[in-house]
Amino acid sequence: MLFCTTLLKCVFVILWLFKFVAAGVVLSLMSESKPPPEPSTVPLGPQTWEEHWWSQITDTPWINYQKFQCEGMNENDQVYNNKEDFTDKMEMTSRIPITDHPIYKERVFTLRKDVQFKGQHGLVSGDKIVVKLVDLGQATASCEVVALQKYTTMFVTSGFMMEDNVKKGVIISLRVPGKPLHKTQKWKDQWRTWGYSDEGQIPKMVDQLAAKVRDYVYDELVVKHGIVHVDLSSLNLPVNANGEFTLIDFGHPSIYHVRRVPTREEFDAWFEQRWRHMWNWVLAPIARSRKKQAQATHRNRNMKRRLPGGES
């Protein structure tokens, strides 16, 4: 009798240990088979984000990356210093802010309607232009003027101004209609209703804009001009009421020449990763929302099971 009792205890202990070993094997297999998270669902720290921003340029063989180099650099005299002095036209009472971004609000603005400029579009009033002040101590300051003149129809004129006894470069370009997608009323309405969940239109808006930008950058910039615009953030893609966009900010380091025109498949693969990285602030919250939604669905199902007859 004692022998049988001891044997049963041993069998029980062995079965008990086997249960934990089996559970560990199952969990291990599950973790190995689980696909890695999408790049867009992983929040990146500032340093990691910045490193990835650059690696998508430096590690792409068809992009002609040259450190601290850009088309038109070292031409500040030609595009600023030897042009018109705009100091009087740039008085503070004439300036109208067009952004609340802490980096740009002091150096990117529009002007009163009565202030006028003569440029390649003829006479343009102050309310139809955007003024950008640049640091003439940078050799790359001239690159944006060269790029605007060569690759767009937005450029009006350039010159210089004095402010606090400092000489600054002035870029004047046509003001394009629209605002960043995340500041449109359509976006704000969806945010109030759904947040970043799948029911809202925010993911659709982002995808629709991505498709248009992808075609434009490849057809109009890469193929036609041999350049690629890499800074595809919301701030650089103002959209109008019809959802049409204008790509802005052609300064360094947004524009690079290409070593060769990539195939459409090559470009699309690069663009997909670039877009995910630049719009991570949208796509990551979407993923978190899906997780919360799944958890809420699971809780609702558990509550129904606890009710008599599974009734809701």
Side-chain angles (χ1 to χ4, degrees):
M1 188 68 177
L2 180 62
F3 173 76
C4 291
T5 302
T6 304
L7 181 62
L8 287 172
K9 287 181 178 180
C10 291
V11 171
F12 176 78
V13 170
I14 291 172
L15 290 174
W16 184 75
L17 291 172
F18 177 77
K19 179 179 71 172
F20 284 95
V21 172
V25 171
V26 170
L27 288 173
S28 177
L29 290 174
M30 287 176 65
S31 64
E32 290 177 1
S33 62
K34 183 179 179 181
E38 291 290 336
S40 60
T41 66
V42 182
L44 300 173
Q47 184 176 1
T48 305
W49 193 94
E50 185 74 12
E51 290 173 354
H52 197 51
W53 196 98
W54 283 106
S55 68
Q56 288 182 329
I57 302 169
T58 59
D59 297 345
T60 300
W62 51 266
I63 295 180
N64 185 19
Y65 170 75
Q66 294 180 307
K67 190 174 183 180
F68 305 129
Q69 298 287 318
C70 55
E71 183 180 14
M73 70 180 300
N74 291 313
E75 296 182 12
N76 287 348
D77 283 342
Q78 296 93 311
V79 302
Y80 298 116
N81 294 328
N82 297 335
K83 294 294 185 70
E84 186 176 350
D85 182 352
F86 294 126
T87 303
D88 292 339
K89 292 184 177 182
M90 297 296 159
E91 58 185 18
M92 293 299 296
T93 55
S94 299
R95 300 183 191 183
I96 303 171
I98 56 177
T99 177
D100 56 1
H101 194 285
I103 296 178
Y104 303 113
K105 65 181 181 181
E106 297 295 330
R107 59 187 183 95
V108 179
F109 47 86
T110 188
L111 297 172
R112 295 195 316 260
K113 184 177 181 178
D114 59 306
V115 182
Q116 295 186 324
F117 298 87
K118 186 176 181 180
Q120 62 183 33
H121 299 278
L123 207 59
V124 184
S125 59
D127 61 327
K128 296 293 192 298
I129 57 97
V130 171
V131 177
K132 185 174 184 179
L133 305 182
V134 297
D135 179 7
L136 293 179
Q138 302 292 326
T140 57
S142 51
C143 296
E144 184 162 14
V145 171
V146 172
L148 284 171
Q149 286 180 299
K150 192 171 182 179
Y151 305 118
T152 79
T153 59
M154 295 184 289
F155 180 73
V156 176
T157 187
S158 61
F160 68 91
M161 63 166 289
M162 298 300 297
E163 186 172 61
D164 298 326
N165 295 319
V166 176
K167 194 174 189 179
K168 296 182 179 180
V170 178
I171 303 175
I172 299 175
S173 57
L174 291 179
R175 187 175 183 181
V176 299
K179 59 182 67 177
L181 183 61
H182 68 284
K183 292 192 174 184
T184 61
Q185 192 59 45
K186 185 177 179 182
W187 180 289
K188 292 177 180 178
D189 290 343
Q190 288 298 322
W191 169 252
R192 280 195 293 267
T193 305
W194 297 108
Y196 284 111
S197 68
D198 291 339
E199 288 91 340
Q201 294 298 312
I202 287 177
K204 293 180 182 178
M205 284 189 277
V206 174
D207 289 343
Q208 289 168 355
L209 179 61
K212 294 177 182 178
V213 175
R214 181 173 59 243
D215 291 344
Y216 172 80
V217 173
Y218 186 75
D219 295 334
E220 298 299 321
L221 297 183
V222 176
V223 175
K224 187 176 291 186
H225 295 298
I227 62 171
V228 60
H229 195 303
V230 301
D231 197 354
L232 307 173
S233 69
S234 183
L235 291 175
N236 290 337
L237 292 164
V239 296
N240 61 21
N242 298 321
E244 300 302 322
F245 75 93
T246 303
L247 184 56
I248 61 174
D249 191 359
F250 278 69
H252 180 74
S254 297
I255 301 296
Y256 291 92
H257 282 274
V258 299
R259 298 182 187 279
R260 59 176 175 81
V261 175
T263 65
R264 187 56 194 255
E265 290 73 19
E266 284 180 295
F267 176 79
D268 286 353
W270 174 84
F271 183 90
E272 172 67 18
Q273 291 301 313
R274 188 65 176 176
W275 188 265
R276 283 177 173 270
H277 186 64
M278 299 299 294
W279 289 75
N280 183 272
W281 60 279
V282 173
L283 300 175
I286 290 174
R288 288 197 290 271
S289 175
R290 289 181 183 141
K291 182 178 179 180
K292 290 179 180 179
Q293 192 176 42
Q295 290 172 343
T297 301
H298 182 69
R299 284 195 299 270
N300 290 338
R301 286 174 180 170
N302 285 341
M303 289 177 65
K304 289 180 181 180
R305 292 192 188 102
R306 294 191 187 104
L307 294 172
E311 299 176 357
S312 57

